[in-house]
Amino acid sequence: MVLTMGITTAGFLIVLTLGYFLLFKPLPYAEQDKLYLIDYQRWDQHKVLQSAAILHPAAEHLYQQLQQSAQDTASQQALLYFTNEVLASEPAQPRLANAYVTPELAELLSIKMAVGNWFGHDYRPGSFNTGAVISYQAWQQLFQQRHDILTLRLNVNGVSHPIIGVLDKAFVAPQLTEIGQEPQLWLPWDYNNSPFQGSWWLTDDKIFLLLKLEQSRLQKLSTELTPIVNEYYQQHIIAHDNFRNWQVVLEGRPLRDALIADNEKTLLLLVLGAAGLLLLALLLSGLAVRSINYRQLSHALQGSGKGTDVQVSPAIRKSLVVAQVSIATLLIFFSALLVQDSIAKLNRSLGFDSQHILQIEFDIATLDWQGWDHYAPQVAGLGEQLRLRPDVEQLSFAYSPLADLYQLAITDMANDRRYYPWHRNVDHHYFSVVGQRLLFGNTFTRDDLGSDKVVIIDQAFAELLTGADIAKAIGQSLKMDAATAPMTVIGVVENLQLPGKHIAPPRFYLPNYGTALWMLVKLKPDTELNRESMIELLHSLNPQFILTRFNLLDTSIAQANFPHRVRLIAAISLALFTIFLACIGLFGIMHYSVQIRSIEFSIKLAVGAQYHHIVKDSIREYLTMLILGIGLATLIALTSLVIFYDWLIPYLSWHSLLLYAVTLLIILVTLTLSNLMPLRSFRTISISNKLRGLYETS
């Protein structure tokens, strides 16, 4: 009891400490309770919330409206856009986490500087003044903490920015997009190169509008500005039937809530789990204390303390064993289910082959965009040069198969039903490069490039269209809202089972023009293409071509699976911890039970019983309690399955029966060892010593 209570109390305190850091520890910003992010909620015609992320042009419009609507809050809002940029001014072209911001951010987040200054008011949107601020870590790692740092310039997207300041070492930027992704480079808002700048229908979840004001003032602003921004939104989507009758509502969300995200639910589960274990230790301790016959104990103490091993009634002792068996069975089984689920998600087939595939992305470092027709021949030449390399087997101008970027509306022309599958643009080499299996029909050919008349769908989309007979999807006509003519389904491919997605959503593939700013390069076995060679090749084709991504697809998969690996480690740790506690509990109660019956067993041995008779007698008693405990655990498990069916069913399969059998085996082995180990003393200690307590008491 002391050991289990100590362990569970320690676990509970650890979880509470984590909860304090997440929920109650003050943020490193002054007046943190006044910091809010604006949610740009878009509700469809059925009053269903489709998105709360703010659109890029809507963010800029709302920023201007906030400045005009109330002069007393003119400096109390700031725009942030998080992305990654390449320093073209550096030979290695490092890719840095970057944030484009408006100058008011310094006041909102209490920004302090180690060297130089933050952006002044002359950097407000529309000024197009150049300048860059770097983090303290970037100053150390990239520039070796040079004292002349303010004399250097950084080339980003073809623009030369002078370094005007270095952030204080203690400053912590709000991590609103990716955990651990803290900006190393800060640039003025005017120079952000977001592909969503003019889009009123594609969402970019990396743009934020931060406010600092009283909650009462926030509610008033939301009420005042919602009609204005909603009217402005309607003006820009009037030509898009897909957004007809959509409405915009502005809501303020505390910055802390955004930083915690879904971790609050996870933390709550941890607290409940730790509290449950602690409550179970307390419950068993309470039962043990209440089961003691204090009157009999008092008489025993008055008689020199002999006979104290008969305080607990047999009924209570057996009930404790049954409770321990049932609780241990349930805890071990449900822990094993978590382990099984985590392993299954890590080992499941993704639906494509990721071995020896490089993900390469590059960009054109300029704000003076010449149009894709100007760059397409150079990009096509890049593809041809790569195909001639001895280390390259094949390449495809297509984005990573791990990313679902755009979800578009498609109508089935046969029954006029609308669907919202995920959209991908690929070339005619894509399916062979990634090894995504064709189930029916054909893949794209060179003649299909740039065509808007053919489409390939995955198995999930085909099942929506035709049911079980997915082959019937071949030849069906589908129409996108933005298209003028329908498309014909020419092929059905295997589903992609991406990390982080429980089911495979419907997807469709359209042919691109055979060039893009991203590609998948399949290398020959035992070869490699290094980053430096790729940078040189890009620079030889166009000095404005910069490498923005260069890594193996397997590396990205490992990163995407990182949460599952953490969950697996946590599940295994929980399972081992549960088994450990169960073993301690069972051993403790069995050891105590044998001690209580020590006089009984000694008398039997004294009158001629053999040691194996004692063992059989003890096992026979606890075999009944084992069956009762397992039966009770099974009943509770089945009841839980009925009550929480939707939540538990994803974790269950036919393998779960094997897990349950293994759980019972662990309990049986633990109970047997817990019973046999105390009985060994009857072999090593003389019967007279065992009986001495009886004689002295009498």
Side-chain angles (χ1 to χ4, degrees):
M1 280 298 181
V2 171
L3 183 58
T4 53
M5 182 67 75
I7 293 174
T8 52
T9 303
F12 186 63
L13 290 176
I14 289 173
V15 172
L16 286 184
T17 303
L18 178 62
Y20 165 75
F21 276 97
L22 280 178
L23 301 178
F24 302 108
K25 185 181 180 181
L27 298 177
Y29 314 122
E31 299 181 296
Q32 61 168 4
D33 294 335
K34 296 181 180 180
L35 294 175
Y36 295 89
L37 292 173
I38 289 296
D39 282 345
Y40 193 80
Q41 297 180 357
R42 287 178 291 156
W43 300 79
D44 64 17
Q45 64 271 27
H46 303 297
K47 308 301 181 184
V48 176
L49 179 63
Q50 291 294 332
S51 175
I54 192 167
L55 299 168
H56 193 289
E60 293 181 326
H61 173 255
L62 185 54
Y63 172 81
Q64 297 169 0
Q65 290 295 318
L66 284 167
Q67 288 191 326
Q68 297 171 7
S69 64
Q71 292 300 320
D72 60 329
T73 60
S75 62
Q76 299 298 309
Q77 60 275 334
L79 289 170
L80 301 93
Y81 170 54
F82 296 96
T83 184
N84 293 280
E85 296 290 9
V86 173
L87 292 185
S89 52
E90 298 296 312
Q93 295 188 354
R95 189 174 187 232
L96 303 182
N98 175 64
Y100 290 95
V101 297
T102 55
E104 303 89 355
L105 188 68
E107 183 177 351
L108 272 65
L109 297 185
S110 313
I111 293 178
K112 297 180 180 180
M113 308 299 294
V115 178
N117 301 297
W118 181 256
F119 305 109
H121 291 297
D122 53 337
Y123 281 93
R124 284 183 174 176
S127 65
F128 285 93
N129 288 324
T130 59
V133 174
I134 62 174
S135 69
Y136 193 90
Q137 290 72 24
W139 184 31
Q140 287 183 315
Q141 297 170 7
L142 294 178
F143 302 102
Q144 292 73 50
Q145 208 161 342
R146 292 177 54 169
H147 296 293
D148 61 345
I149 189 67
L150 298 185
T151 66
L152 303 184
R153 302 182 73 91
L154 305 178
N155 191 321
V156 180
N157 288 327
V159 179
S160 180
H161 293 273
I163 297 178
I164 66 171
V166 178
L167 292 172
D168 186 76
K169 184 178 182 180
F171 175 70
V172 179
Q175 299 178 21
L176 296 171
T177 53
E178 299 179 34
I179 300 299
Q181 188 82 342
E182 187 166 350
Q184 298 171 285
L185 176 64
W186 303 75
L187 295 172
W189 177 264
D190 287 332
Y191 293 96
N192 84 80
N193 206 16
S194 169
F196 304 96
Q197 283 186 353
S199 175
W200 285 91
W201 52 92
L202 296 178
T203 299
D204 188 352
D205 58 359
K206 298 180 180 179
I207 294 176
F208 302 91
L209 179 58
L210 180 65
L211 300 184
K212 186 176 183 180
L213 70 174
E214 298 287 348
Q215 185 178 12
S216 59
R217 179 59 182 158
L218 174 68
Q219 295 173 345
K220 184 178 180 181
L221 277 177
S222 299
T223 303
E224 293 174 353
L225 293 179
T226 290
I228 298 174
V229 298
N230 188 56
E231 181 182 358
Y232 196 69
Y233 174 73
Q234 300 297 331
Q235 294 173 4
H236 288 84
I237 58 139
I238 191 170
H240 299 276
D241 292 339
N242 191 40
F243 303 107
R244 184 176 298 170
N245 297 324
W246 283 34
Q247 300 292 323
V248 171
V249 176
L250 297 181
E251 289 288 345
R253 179 168 44 125
L255 177 62
R256 176 181 286 277
D257 292 353
L259 295 176
I260 295 175
D262 294 333
N263 291 327
E264 187 173 5
K265 296 180 180 178
T266 303
L267 178 64
L268 179 61
L269 290 175
L270 285 174
V271 171
L272 289 176
L277 283 175
L278 183 62
L279 182 64
L280 179 66
L282 289 175
L283 177 62
L284 293 178
S285 299
L287 288 175
V289 171
R290 290 178 63 85
S291 66
I292 295 175
N293 189 328
Y294 287 98
R295 185 182 299 275
Q296 188 175 13
L297 177 61
S298 176
H299 290 309
L301 289 174
Q302 292 175 9
S304 302
K306 304 301 180 179
T308 58
D309 51 353
V310 291
Q311 321 166 23
V312 180
S313 69
I316 291 181
R317 175 168 50 86
K318 294 178 181 179
S319 299
L320 286 174
V321 174
V322 172
Q324 283 277 8
V325 170
S326 59
I327 292 171
T329 301
L330 289 172
L331 290 178
I332 294 175
F333 176 61
F334 284 120
S335 300
L337 284 180
L338 290 177
V339 174
Q340 173 190 253
D341 183 67
S342 299
I343 293 176
K345 287 179 178 177
L346 283 173
N347 294 333
R348 71 178 181 179
S349 173
L350 298 175
F352 64 92
D353 181 14
S354 62
Q355 288 189 331
H356 311 302
I357 294 181
L358 271 175
Q359 297 178 105
I360 298 177
E361 296 177 28
F362 57 101
D363 206 346
I364 302 170
T366 180
L367 297 180
D368 183 22
W369 178 256
Q370 299 295 315
W372 184 245
D373 290 341
H374 176 77
Y375 304 104
Q378 299 172 3
V379 175
L382 170 65
E384 292 305 319
Q385 290 198 38
L386 284 172
R387 288 189 177 97
L388 293 175
R389 292 180 61 95
D391 47 10
V392 174
E393 182 175 313
Q394 186 54 281
L395 69 84
S396 169
F397 283 102
Y399 205 69
S400 168
L402 295 175
D404 284 324
L405 296 180
Y406 307 119
Q407 195 172 12
L408 302 180
I410 280 190
T411 301
D412 182 2
M413 301 300 289
N415 53 25
D416 201 34
R417 291 188 61 182
R418 289 166 65 86
Y419 302 94
Y420 293 88
W422 291 95
H423 159 251
R424 295 176 179 226
N425 277 336
V426 300
D427 66 6
H428 55 303
H429 297 299
Y430 172 77
F431 294 107
S432 61
V433 168
V434 301
Q436 190 171 354
R437 192 161 56 98
L438 180 70
L439 302 179
F440 296 99
N442 302 295
T443 58
F444 299 129
T445 65
R446 181 180 291 275
D447 294 335
D448 294 321
L449 296 181
S451 171
D452 58 356
K453 298 180 180 179
V454 292
V455 63
I456 293 175
I457 63 177
D458 69 352
Q459 182 178 352
F461 196 7
E463 290 173 350
L464 288 178
L465 297 174
T466 64
D469 192 1
I470 60 176
K472 291 183 179 179
I474 302 298
Q476 286 198 214
S477 294
L478 305 176
K479 184 178 180 298
M480 289 192 299
D481 284 356
T484 57
M487 308 169 294
T488 302
V489 177
I490 64 170
V492 178
V493 293
E494 187 177 4
N495 289 333
L496 297 181
Q497 300 284 349
L498 301 186
K501 295 199 173 183
H502 300 293
I503 59 174
R507 300 182 177 94
F508 72 103
Y509 301 79
L510 294 179
N512 60 23
Y513 288 90
T515 55
L517 290 174
W518 38 78
M519 63 179 72
L520 300 170
V521 178
K522 189 172 183 62
L523 300 176
K524 293 179 181 178
D526 302 321
T527 64
E528 67 175 20
L529 174 63
N530 61 54
R531 180 185 178 89
E532 290 73 20
S533 298
M534 193 64 200
I535 291 175
E536 292 178 4
L537 180 56
L538 288 171
H539 191 77
S540 67
L541 291 169
N542 188 327
Q544 293 180 325
F545 284 177
I546 57 171
L547 188 63
T548 58
R549 186 172 190 172
F550 187 88
N551 67 282
L552 288 170
L553 190 56
D554 280 337
T555 303
S556 295
I557 293 173
Q559 292 174 347
N561 277 325
F562 179 74
H564 294 301
R565 295 185 186 278
V566 172
R567 183 184 174 198
L568 175 60
I569 294 173
I572 291 176
S573 301
L574 177 62
L576 294 177
F577 178 68
T578 303
I579 292 173
F580 178 64
L581 287 180
C583 291
I584 292 176
L586 288 174
F587 178 80
I589 192 68
M590 293 301 297
H591 187 273
Y592 183 66
S593 298
V594 171
Q595 280 187 322
I596 288 178
R597 301 185 65 189
S598 60
I599 300 300
E600 172 193 345
F601 291 152
S602 299
I603 294 176
K604 290 182 178 180
L605 290 172
V607 297
Q610 300 296 317
Y611 174 73
H612 65 273
H613 294 147
I614 302 299
V615 172
K616 288 182 180 179
D617 188 19
S618 180
I619 290 179
R620 189 181 303 112
E621 178 185 9
Y622 291 109
L623 185 61
T624 303
M625 289 179 272
L626 173 66
I627 294 174
L628 289 175
I630 292 175
L632 179 60
T634 304
L635 179 62
I636 295 175
L638 292 176
T639 304
S640 301
L641 178 59
V642 173
I643 298 175
F644 305 104
Y645 179 82
D646 293 336
W647 189 79
L648 290 176
I649 196 62
Y651 298 92
L652 299 175
S653 65
W654 289 110
H655 297 290
S656 303
L657 295 177
L658 178 61
L659 279 181
Y660 198 66
V662 172
T663 299
L664 298 183
L665 179 62
I666 293 174
I667 296 297
L668 178 61
V669 171
T670 302
L671 193 66
T672 302
L673 292 177
S674 300
N675 187 34
L676 293 179
M677 290 177 66
L679 289 175
R680 293 177 58 191
S681 63
F682 289 94
R683 278 185 168 181
T684 57
I685 300 177
S686 65
I687 299 176
S688 60
N689 289 335
K690 288 285 187 180
L691 291 173
R692 186 174 301 161
L694 174 63
Y695 296 145
E696 291 180 359
T697 301
S698 58

